[in-house]
Amino acid sequence: MSTVTHHDRAVLAGRRALVTGAASGIGAAVAARLAEAGAEVHLIDRDEEGVAKVAALVHGTPHVVDLTDEAAIGRLDVEADILVNNAGIQHVAPIEDFDPERFRTIHAVMLHAPFLLARRVLPGMYARGWGRIVHVSSVHGHRASAYKSAYVSAKHGLEGLSKVIALEAADKGVTSNTVCPGYVRTPLVEGQLGDQARSHGIPEDEVLDTVLLARTPLKRLVEPEEVADAVAFLCGPTGTSITGSSLSLDGGWSAA
């Protein structure tokens, strides 16, 4: 957990935050960090037990929502000053073997749902003259990797969506940015190891160094709390002039 000063605890007091994919990994860390900064946190996930557990830890409110269900998103009755689009899923396969329905589902969760949620909360943000939207993107929003056609294309789309929101919201007190980590120590990454081993024809215990960290000069995974701190930075007073930007936490991957 991050060390937070007394001053930091007050910076988001009175703000209401909505965080997707909040039952574990980056989303859980973001929910905790924003709660530490004083925000009232609403947590969205399809994992009922997991999101309830994290919500209890951060004194937030859980919402069980399947982000592939447009009607369910429409029924979500939460005004938000802060929206963190974090939910993500992954599937690793060559394009010729990639199931089209799986491709569609990944785009629904990682691009269409962020659009729907932004569309839902922006009018309230505009009316109040303040808002922060942070999309947890990825180094894959700027770089491609083989066998991840759905994930890479969704993240590239999310980068574009964020920039459009930034332009439309610039005179209304609302910012929109992305945070782009490399591989983070989360269940999503751990779940890739077997698929990557099969796709690349290597033993599973070689995947981390040979595949996942091959292009990362800093040979370590990013911790969820590091991403959460970046999100909190963009939501706080020091982020006022930052919009339409992409903050990289990729260990130098995109510098090459």
Side-chain angles (χ1 to χ4, degrees):
M1 193 68 69
S2 306
T3 300
V4 182
T5 68
H6 177 73
H7 174 72
D8 288 333
R9 288 188 183 278
V11 296
L12 295 179
R15 305 297 188 188
R16 183 175 295 180
L18 187 63
V19 182
T20 70
S24 65
I26 294 171
V30 167
R33 183 64 183 84
L34 295 181
E36 284 179 351
E40 173 191 329
V41 183
H42 290 257
L43 303 86
I44 291 179
D45 207 287
R46 63 181 179 180
D47 175 0
E48 183 174 2
E49 183 179 351
V51 75
K53 187 178 297 184
V54 176
L57 288 172
V58 304
H59 306 291
T61 303
H63 301 268
V64 181
V65 180
D66 180 351
L67 292 178
T68 67
D69 184 346
E70 186 167 337
I73 294 173
R75 290 191 296 270
L76 190 64
D77 186 22
V78 178
E79 283 291 318
D81 304 293
I82 297 167
L83 169 63
V84 182
N85 284 314
N86 165 73
I89 51 179
Q90 179 63 280
H91 182 64
V92 180
I95 287 175
E96 64 272 21
D97 297 329
F98 211 113
D99 176 53
E101 190 57 39
R102 184 74 65 92
F103 189 99
R104 187 178 295 111
T105 297
I106 289 173
H107 273 244
V109 171
M110 292 170 47
L111 185 55
H112 192 59
F115 159 74
L116 292 173
L117 289 165
R119 184 177 183 271
R120 188 162 183 79
V121 302
L122 278 170
M125 291 179 176
Y126 291 165
R128 292 184 293 275
W130 195 95
R132 299 288 180 266
I133 299 181
V134 182
H135 315 270
V136 179
S137 180
S138 166
V139 64
H140 284 117
H142 300 276
R143 298 289 187 273
S145 288
Y147 311 120
K148 296 183 178 180
S149 55
Y151 188 91
V152 169
S153 56
K155 291 300 192 186
H156 273 66
L158 190 62
E159 293 289 330
L161 175 65
S162 179
K163 291 175 183 177
V164 172
I165 295 170
L167 295 179
E168 293 186 9
D171 62 346
K172 300 178 178 69
V174 178
T175 66
S176 176
N177 295 285
T178 64
V179 173
C180 298
Y183 288 103
V184 183
R185 194 184 307 279
T186 66
L188 182 68
V189 167
E190 290 166 358
Q192 285 185 55
L193 299 181
D195 288 343
Q196 287 279 12
R198 285 186 292 274
S199 294
H200 289 272
I202 59 175
E204 191 169 319
D205 60 4
E206 293 181 14
V207 169
L208 192 61
D209 288 338
T210 305
V211 180
L212 299 192
L213 298 179
R215 290 178 283 180
T216 304
L218 293 182
K219 296 296 183 185
R220 67 172 184 84
L221 294 172
V222 181
E223 298 299 331
E225 290 76 16
E226 295 177 78
V227 184
D229 282 343
V231 172
F233 166 76
L234 290 170
C235 293
T238 49
T240 302
S241 295
I242 305 173
T243 194
S245 294
S246 183
L247 181 57
S248 293
L249 294 85
D250 63 5
W253 181 339
S254 58

